[in-house]
Amino acid sequence: MNRKALHWILGAGTPVLLLALWWIASEQSTSAFFPPLRVILERFQALWLFEHFQSDVLLSLRNLLLGYGVASVAGIALGFVIALVPVARQILEPLIHFLRGIPPVALVPIFISLIGFGIEMRVASIALASLFPTMIATVDGIRSVDPGLKDVARVYRFTTTEKTFRVYLPAAGPQIFSGLQVGLQVAFIVMIASEMLGSSQGIGAMTILAQQSFMTADMWAGILLLGVIGFAANLIFDLIRRRVLAWYIGSRKLARAA
Amino acid sequence: MKTSLPPTRSNSAAPAAPSRKNAMTEEQTPAPAVVAGTAPARLDVSHLAKSYGTGDKAKTIIEDLTFTVAVGEVVCIVGPSGVGKTTLLKCLAGLHPATSGRASIDGRVINGPPPEMALVFQDYNRSLMPWLTVRKNLVLPLRHLHLSAQELKERCDSALAAVGLEHAESQYPWQLSGGMQQRVAIARALAYRPEILIMDEPFASVDAQTRFDLEDLCLKIRRDFNMTILVVTHDIDEAVYLADRVVVLGSKPARVLRIVDIELPTVRDQISTRALPEFARQRTEVLSLIKRPA
């Protein structure tokens, strides 16, 4: 058996094994807090796959994508400006370092009081919270672009657009992607938190509602769904990253092998 | 600071001594170079000086450089390492402004990267875009020239053929050896079709065999494209082998010790040219200039 196959089997087999253990161990459970996995999965199916799929699951995902999308574009754009315009850097940098110190979830109450409990509040919270990791990583990435590449761009008289999109952006790509990855995790956390704190709709709201009305199986079903979504989101992100940064991953691999 | 070396037969320009600043114009020192003496000066460097910082902290890198490069000529600049050769090239390429004096192309003062110039950098692994394939690296500087697809392809094909890398066009730079990467950097400059090609220690970090090949490639480019080429190197043999004229720099700060005309046949060969007594004599001439305390 080769190594790669072994990795796959371990990677896929371990979660399956744990689920099986959970199933067996919880089957006879009468605890109000740890219902049998069988019951949780029944509730999972009943709750998420049909009844609330459109009204809650899709809603949450839409908020996540919208907020994260806005944050990613704005974070990269602001990162460029801060890295390349000295005045912008001097004005904004202290503010950024203050704001990034506040835990993202702590921003949600401000947004509730500012914009209310609507969808706008949730999208705005997600966007603002996941803006910082992307923006800060972009600033670092742009600042560490190799001076050699900048000289090339100048000698060959690249236009500003070419410098921006064909030199700086790809050169900072690896760092921007690490920022985007952190931003995605933050967006996910804030999505759930914003729903738990100030909403009657969405996966987070459903989960906290179940907890508050002692429907433990429903609560577990909600947590399980969040886990699945988080896992899937990271998987998709990684696929995109591998595609966009194929050159970087390849060159690093080669450098390590040498 | 002042060079005490007497002008020799092979001098085509007087040494740059501050006391003779005003006598250093092209018209007053028309001593022709052997190979390209009748051609007009393409690149004219006149009393160029460069220092960083101001006041007491000012550090002078280049004292007072004056030399010219004629159309179709290969000029090598040699000097001890750390003498400020790269700073000089950056001034010529319009990347750094000169502190005083000037460099000009066809009489136009260089104050930004000139359109007719291409530069091959010393660090090939920091001058190619690692996210682009070889061909796309060649295409990138040509984008804003708005060439037809046909011409774009033709330029890249011929540049890749000139450096013998047709087979590697869809590979990434980091998949290639150092010598091949430097050839890609040269191909990129060729595809740009510059009239003046400047190279900064282009063959410093490649193995000896590749180095010979790249030197011959440089001479072939001059022949085929009638390009004006300026090469900075610390290798005296290389300078003598490549050049029509060698500008010998002294340190520190950098100044011209002497400009030596190389009297070797135009068509050169790694084995037979380097075996010529004239080659040995001229490399000794250059070497003794560098070794001798100024």
Side-chain angles (χ1 to χ4, degrees):
Chain A
M1 198 189 301
N2 61 26
R3 274 183 92 82
K4 207 170 176 182
L6 192 73
H7 273 267
W8 265 102
I9 288 166
L10 279 177
T14 314
V16 170
L17 193 72
L18 286 175
L19 275 177
L21 275 176
W22 184 8
W23 183 286
I24 295 161
S26 67
E27 187 54 36
Q28 302 304 320
S29 168
T30 52
S31 161
F33 303 106
F34 301 103
L37 179 58
R38 179 175 46 77
V39 179
I40 294 172
L41 289 179
E42 273 164 20
R43 293 304 300 155
F44 185 93
Q45 195 181 13
L47 274 178
W48 303 124
L49 296 188
F50 304 106
E51 206 179 321
H52 294 281
F53 185 72
Q54 197 152 4
S55 64
D56 295 280
V57 179
L58 279 187
L59 182 81
S60 293
L61 290 178
R62 206 197 61 194
N63 289 349
L64 178 73
L65 279 180
L66 203 61
Y68 180 59
V70 169
S72 301
V73 174
I76 294 171
L78 279 170
F80 260 85
V81 173
I82 293 166
L84 298 175
V85 183
V87 183
R89 183 174 151 195
Q90 277 153 12
I91 296 172
L92 293 174
E93 205 152 51
L95 192 67
I96 288 162
H97 285 293
F98 175 72
L99 287 177
R100 76 190 285 204
I102 301 170
V105 178
L107 296 172
V108 176
I110 311 171
F111 275 95
I112 293 176
S113 25
L114 283 178
I115 352 186
F117 289 92
I119 286 172
E120 305 83 1
M121 179 279 285
R122 281 172 262 163
V123 175
S125 310
I126 295 170
L128 188 81
S130 63
L131 174 81
F132 289 102
T134 305
M135 182 170 73
I136 290 161
T138 306
V139 172
D140 287 344
I142 300 294
R143 282 209 202 131
S144 54
V145 172
D146 198 307
L149 297 183
K150 291 187 207 171
D151 280 348
V152 170
R154 286 185 65 199
V155 164
Y156 289 105
R157 301 158 62 91
F158 287 14
T159 62
T160 309
T161 319
E162 283 170 344
K163 278 183 194 167
T164 309
F165 292 104
R166 298 186 184 273
V167 181
Y168 284 101
L169 192 63
Q175 268 147 306
I176 292 176
F177 263 91
S178 350
L180 286 173
Q181 186 145 31
V182 178
L184 180 62
Q185 285 151 12
V186 171
F188 190 61
I189 293 167
V190 173
M191 173 197 89
I192 299 159
S194 70
E195 287 170 352
M196 285 184 166
L197 286 172
S199 172
S200 54
Q201 275 182 309
I203 308 165
M206 293 292 290
T207 307
I208 202 85
L209 193 71
Q211 185 261 331
Q212 282 160 354
S213 41
F214 301 103
M215 290 149 67
T216 329
D218 287 19
M219 181 194 77
W220 279 103
I223 294 169
L224 206 60
L225 177 68
L226 291 173
V228 170
I229 292 173
F231 179 76
N234 260 318
L235 198 71
I236 293 167
F237 183 90
D238 205 50
L239 284 176
I240 295 171
R241 180 183 169 275
R242 274 167 193 279
R243 214 185 150 78
V244 176
L245 294 183
W247 64 270
Y248 178 72
I249 296 164
S251 67
R252 289 286 297 265
K253 212 171 176 177
L254 206 70
R256 273 200 303 274
Chain B
M1 197 160 296
K2 189 165 74 77
T3 167
S4 58
L5 293 164
T8 63
R9 186 176 54 89
S10 56
N11 258 27
S12 64
S19 57
R20 297 177 59 187
K21 235 169 206 178
N22 297 324
M24 286 292 299
T25 54
E26 182 66 14
E27 304 85 69
Q28 283 161 310
T29 52
V34 173
V35 177
T38 49
R42 190 78 222 266
L43 184 65
D44 184 358
V45 180
S46 168
H47 303 297
L48 187 89
K50 175 77 187 170
S51 50
Y52 292 106
T54 47
D56 293 342
K57 286 185 188 153
K59 189 169 162 22
T60 304
I61 308 290
I62 298 171
E63 172 86 37
D64 181 355
L65 289 188
T66 298
F67 64 90
T68 60
V69 185
V71 175
E73 194 179 24
V74 178
V75 169
C76 282
I77 296 177
V78 291
S81 42
V83 73
K85 298 185 294 261
T86 297
T87 306
L88 167 64
L89 286 199
K90 290 200 168 174
C91 291
L92 295 184
L95 294 174
H96 291 338
T99 310
S100 69
R102 62 185 176 89
S104 50
I105 294 176
D106 300 336
R108 285 180 296 111
V109 173
I110 298 169
N111 49 17
E116 59 271 76
M117 186 189 282
L119 195 62
V120 174
F121 294 85
Q122 184 176 357
D123 295 332
Y124 48 79
N125 54 1
R126 289 172 54 202
S127 89
L128 296 170
M129 311 293 164
W131 53 88
L132 297 178
T133 60
V134 167
R135 176 173 285 266
K136 285 180 178 166
N137 260 293
L138 264 59
V139 169
L140 187 57
L142 309 178
R143 288 180 56 87
H144 63 265
L145 302 179
H146 303 295
L147 306 170
S148 67
Q150 167 103 38
E151 164 139 40
L152 205 64
K153 186 181 177 324
E154 198 276 312
R155 280 196 185 195
C156 292
D157 286 346
S158 69
L160 285 170
V163 300
L165 281 180
E166 304 95 320
H167 60 285
E169 62 162 31
S170 52
Q171 286 189 280
Y172 287 93
W174 41 268
Q175 294 175 307
L176 307 174
S177 69
M180 285 167 90
Q181 287 182 48
Q182 193 57 294
R183 271 146 74 195
V184 175
I186 294 170
R188 175 174 64 186
L190 291 182
Y192 195 66
R193 302 264 163 100
E195 291 162 29
I196 301 169
L197 179 62
I198 294 189
M199 301 202 260
D200 183 6
E201 304 211 0
F203 319 133
S205 38
V206 298
D207 60 83
Q209 182 54 49
T210 311
R211 191 182 183 111
F212 284 168
D213 292 345
L214 292 176
E215 286 168 6
D216 287 333
L217 172 65
C218 175
L219 292 175
K220 180 174 175 290
I221 291 164
R222 190 268 290 268
R223 248 190 344 265
D224 293 355
F225 299 91
N226 193 35
M227 234 176 245
T228 304
I229 301 177
L230 184 66
V231 182
V232 159
T233 176
H234 61 249
D235 184 327
I236 291 153
D237 287 47
E238 177 169 282
V240 173
Y241 180 74
L242 283 178
D244 299 317
R245 284 190 297 148
V246 174
V247 177
V248 184
L249 296 187
S251 61
K252 295 180 164 186
R255 64 197 189 283
V256 177
L257 286 183
R258 195 184 296 172
I259 298 174
V260 180
D261 288 333
I262 301 301
E263 289 145 3
L264 293 169
T266 317
V267 179
R268 298 181 189 180
D269 175 84
Q270 289 289 359
I271 295 164
S272 61
T273 303
R274 284 175 192 266
L276 292 174
E278 186 61 16
F279 184 89
R281 191 187 67 73
Q282 296 216 287
R283 79 173 287 283
T284 308
E285 183 182 353
V286 174
L287 183 62
S288 58
L289 281 167
I290 287 178
K291 282 288 181 195
R292 186 184 325 190

